Every structure is written in structure tokens, then in C-alpha cells.
Amino acid sequence: MLRVLSDIVDALDHGDFAVLMLLDLSAAFDTVDSATLLRRLQTMYGITGTALVWFSSYLHERKISVHYRGTSSTPSSLLCGVPQGFVIGPILFLLYTADLLGLIEDTLLHPHLYAQQRISTCVDHVSEWIQANRLQLNAAKTELLWCAPPRQQDRLPNAALCVGSDSVLPVRCVRDLGIYIDSDVSMRTRITRTVSNCFSALRQLRSIRRSVSQPVHVLLSLVTSLILTRLDYGSATLSGVPGDLLNRLQSVLNAAARLVSHARKYDHIIHLLRDFAMVAGSVENTLPTGRACLPLSSQHGASVPRS
């Protein structure tokens, strides 16, 4: 995600537009062709002998059965797909689709007068590759985002892009790996949604505050699980955002500290944040490290567990 944002920001810094297209595959893991995958493991990655036999056994010797109301169907062998729920599954899928990178690079996508035509050609090549490798492109969930500096937003293309037999219209915000990206790369939508979700969780915690036996320890654990993890996820992508947006994240931490401390709304917050070590100074100071909060000991003997 950091590489994606870095490439977009680099293009904008050079006065160019950037385009981000998120292609969705239907049942991606379940449609991987096992024979093709094994052939690529052997020819492209040099996996042979016993190791290749292991992969063949892992992919081929699998069966599926449907159990419903005490009755099970006859087991059938799975002819395609990689097992999900294991570490090796995503790795095998990445190896299976590694050719896509070279295919996209061959289109020589660079800023020029006919950028949209070149993108359409690239998408057509990707669609053909997906079909040839027995995968299925889900155009309904495919998203197209044009990016430009705030002052050039009115110059962004608004024409639809053909993906197979469907048309995809540009949007102003997309979500990739749980991170919202705006067309001006301001990260405003991401921060707005994060703050909204955090305050919603804080309201729920406030409603049960008087029902817990050890409020400090319990609330610290709950705040860590429900609030700090949300602020921590993808915090490195917020480096360089305007101070007014960072202040909104800081307001979440302030509210969480008051909740744990049973403090009033207008009580000073600096010593509360220091006591419970919910941040190292402020959100802005922790962004370059990729951490929105640091766990340290508090004066009450409690600590914020690592997320």
C-alpha cells in the first residue's frame, strides 16, 4: 500500500495525473488451475523433485463434501483451486498471477495524450490473460480512480472505461486493503471513517463503564482492542497529511484517555495521555514510525498491551 501511494504522490509531484484501477476476481483462490500452477512452479521458479511432488499432493489430493441436515454427499475430488486458511495459499496465488506484472509493464504506461486509450488496451490484455488462465474478472466490483492535485480535480477524466463487456465509471474514492484513497490523495475519507468508527466504539464503552469490576484494566484492554488498533492500522500512510486531519485523530485519543480516567470533557488531557502512555507526544510525532500509539506503563500499574 505504501508503494502504491508513493507512486501516486510521485506522479502528482511531477505535475502528472495518476490512475489506480482495482480489478476484482470472482472466487480467485477457488479457480486457480492446479496443472498450470504446478507447471509454473517447475519452469519459472525451479521447483522440482520431491518439493514438486509435495505441492502436487497438496493441490490434487483434496476432496469436497456437502453436509446438510445429517446427510452428506459423496466426496468429489477438487480439480482446481488452492486451499484457503493457510499461509501458503496466498503465496501460491501470487506465484500463479506473477505474469500479470510483466504484461502490464509491456504496455509502457506513461503519461501522454492518449493515456485513457493506453489504459483500455492494458485492461484488455489483462482480461485476456485472466480468461486464458481460467480466472474470472468481476467487472461489477472493479473500480477506477483518477488522481490529481486539489486544484486540478476539475480536469480529471470522467469517461467510462470498458472492462470486457461492461463499463466502469471513475469514482472519487476507493478502498484498497482497508485503506481509503481519495482522488486528491488527501486521506480525508480514511480519517473521517476511522474517527467515526472510533467514536462509535467509545460510546459503546461508555455505556458499560460502570458495569465492569476493574474499570481501569478492563477499559485499557478494550480501548486497545477497539480504538488503538484502528488508529494503528495503516498509520504510515498518513505521513504528511494536514494538521487539521491529524487533530481529528488526536481527538479520538483524547476522548479515549478521558474515558479510561473517568475525566470530564474539559479536564486537561496532557497528563492523562502521559499517565496512560496512549501516545508518544502526539499522533503527528508517531506517524513516521508507522505506530499511532506506544504501550508504556501507567501510574496505576496498568499498561496498554501491544496490538
Side-chain angles (χ1 to χ4, degrees):
M1 176 54 63
L2 288 177
R3 175 62 185 273
V4 172
L5 285 174
S6 176
D7 290 344
I8 294 176
V9 172
D10 184 64
L12 269 56
D13 287 344
H14 285 81
D16 301 320
F17 288 175
V19 61
L20 174 63
M21 192 159 192
L22 304 179
L23 301 176
D24 183 83
L25 298 177
S26 299
F29 280 51
D30 296 330
T31 54
V32 171
D33 185 71
S34 301
T36 303
L37 175 58
L38 289 172
R39 184 170 62 254
R40 289 177 180 170
L41 291 177
Q42 183 177 12
T43 58
M44 297 177 58
Y45 304 104
I47 298 178
T48 58
T50 303
L52 188 63
V53 173
W54 287 346
F55 279 110
S56 178
S57 175
Y58 179 71
L59 294 172
H60 287 151
E61 298 181 8
R62 299 187 299 126
K63 297 182 180 295
I64 185 173
S65 177
V66 178
H67 185 79
Y68 180 70
R69 292 187 176 181
T71 304
S72 299
S73 64
T74 303
S76 301
S77 298
L78 290 174
L79 302 179
C80 61
V82 295
Q84 301 185 45
F86 300 92
V87 176
I88 193 65
I91 296 177
L92 290 176
F93 182 78
L94 290 176
L95 296 178
Y96 185 78
T97 58
D99 285 350
L100 271 177
L101 180 60
L103 180 66
I104 295 173
E105 290 176 343
D106 289 342
T107 61
L108 301 176
L109 277 177
H110 293 290
H112 56 81
L113 184 59
Y114 305 102
Q116 184 139 349
Q117 295 179 1
R118 181 62 65 87
I119 293 171
S120 298
T121 301
C122 177
V123 172
D124 290 339
H125 291 168
V126 171
S127 299
E128 293 173 359
W129 185 94
I130 288 174
Q131 293 179 3
N133 286 269
R134 301 184 180 183
L135 300 174
Q136 183 177 357
L137 182 62
N138 186 358
K141 293 185 178 180
T142 294
E143 295 181 300
L144 173 66
L145 177 73
W146 285 96
C147 299
R151 295 183 179 180
Q152 301 183 25
Q153 286 290 301
D154 57 340
R155 297 176 55 192
L156 289 177
N158 54 16
L161 188 68
C162 291
V163 179
S165 59
D166 300 299
S167 296
V168 178
L169 290 171
V171 295
R172 290 295 181 176
C173 179
V174 297
R175 183 184 181 186
D176 188 15
L177 298 178
I179 303 295
Y180 289 91
I181 304 176
D182 300 294
S183 60
D184 58 357
V185 203
S186 64
M187 308 305 288
R188 185 175 299 274
T189 300
R190 160 163 166 65
I191 292 177
T192 298
R193 289 179 177 268
T194 299
V195 170
S196 176
N197 292 334
C198 287
F199 275 115
S200 176
L202 285 173
R203 286 192 294 270
Q204 296 178 5
L205 293 180
R206 190 173 293 110
S207 66
I208 66 168
R209 180 173 55 183
R210 297 180 180 179
S211 303
V212 295
S213 57
Q214 295 180 327
V216 173
H217 297 275
V218 173
L219 289 176
L220 273 175
S221 297
L222 291 175
V223 165
T224 300
S225 300
L226 301 177
I227 306 300
L228 301 189
T229 52
R230 284 190 171 102
L231 296 176
D232 190 29
Y233 181 74
S235 60
T237 63
L238 301 179
S239 180
V241 302
D244 63 316
L245 294 180
L246 292 181
N247 289 338
R248 299 184 63 185
L249 295 177
Q250 188 69 52
S251 68
V252 173
L253 292 170
N254 296 348
R258 290 190 175 98
L259 172 68
V260 174
S261 307
H262 293 265
R264 293 173 298 181
K265 181 178 180 179
Y266 297 103
D267 289 346
H268 291 291
I269 196 63
I270 298 298
H271 71 281
L272 298 179
L273 294 175
R274 186 186 304 114
D275 290 344
F276 291 98
M278 301 181 71
V279 288
S282 67
V283 175
E284 185 175 5
N285 292 334
T286 63
L287 284 175
T289 67
R291 299 290 298 178
C293 50
L294 299 175
L296 302 172
S297 299
S298 71
Q299 67 178 7
H300 299 282
S303 62
V304 181
R306 280 192 182 274
S307 57

